[in-house]
Amino acid sequence: MDEILNQLSGLFLGSVPTIVLFLLLVVAYGFLVRRPLDAVLAERRKRTTGAVEEARSAISQAETETALFEEKLRAARAELFNARDQRLKRLALERELALSEARSTTQAKVSAARTSLEHSAATARQQIESMSGELSSQILKAVLPAGAVGTGAAQ
């Protein structure tokens, strides 16, 4: 057993420089590689997170501006529709006024024409009545012989 312990102690003593070099290598790795790598990764994470937050902020701002634009667009459309409706109402009112005026003017012309026609008809009737005696005597002269008209008129 002493022999085994002597061999183990020899192996252990021989491995001490390897262990020390390994520990030195781990410490050097930590200082030379791991710390700068962690710093770079932290900076990268910070920039990525910052960029993501900035992108979210930009998206939020864009959505706000889009909503504002859509609201302005809706208001402009409503204003256009209201203006169009008012214009159509005004045109309809003007058309109705023009039609009413045309109707009254036409009605007045029809009444004047009817009155003129009735007056002309009355004048024509009077002329026909006044001429009817003359016409009847002319007809009798034309139809009856010349001597009969004088004796027939005396009777």
Side-chain angles (χ1 to χ4, degrees), residues 42-122:
E43 180 67 25
R44 179 177 157 199
R45 195 171 294 120
K46 178 181 163 190
R47 286 184 180 180
T48 303
T49 305
V52 168
E53 289 299 322
E54 190 177 311
R56 285 183 183 151
S57 169
I59 289 171
S60 174
Q61 184 179 4
E63 287 175 350
T64 303
E65 289 178 8
T66 301
L68 181 63
F69 176 75
E70 287 175 353
E71 182 62 33
K72 286 181 180 179
L73 185 62
R74 256 186 251 113
R77 283 182 181 164
E79 185 178 325
L80 285 175
F81 286 135
N82 287 337
R84 180 177 171 240
D85 285 344
Q86 288 178 358
R87 190 179 84 225
L88 288 176
K89 286 178 183 177
R90 183 176 43 83
L91 289 175
L93 181 62
E94 288 175 3
R95 184 182 65 218
E96 287 299 320
L97 288 174
L99 285 174
S100 174
E101 185 178 318
R103 282 185 191 121
S104 64
T105 303
T106 305
Q107 191 66 28
K109 286 180 181 179
V110 166
S111 295
R114 187 173 284 146
T115 304
S116 172
L117 186 62
E118 288 173 359
H119 180 66
S120 295

Side-chain angles (χ1 to χ4, degrees), residues 25-42:
L25 183 63
V26 168
V27 170
Y29 170 76
F31 280 116
L32 295 174
V33 176
R34 183 67 183 187
R35 281 190 184 167
L37 184 61
D38 285 343
V40 168
L41 289 175

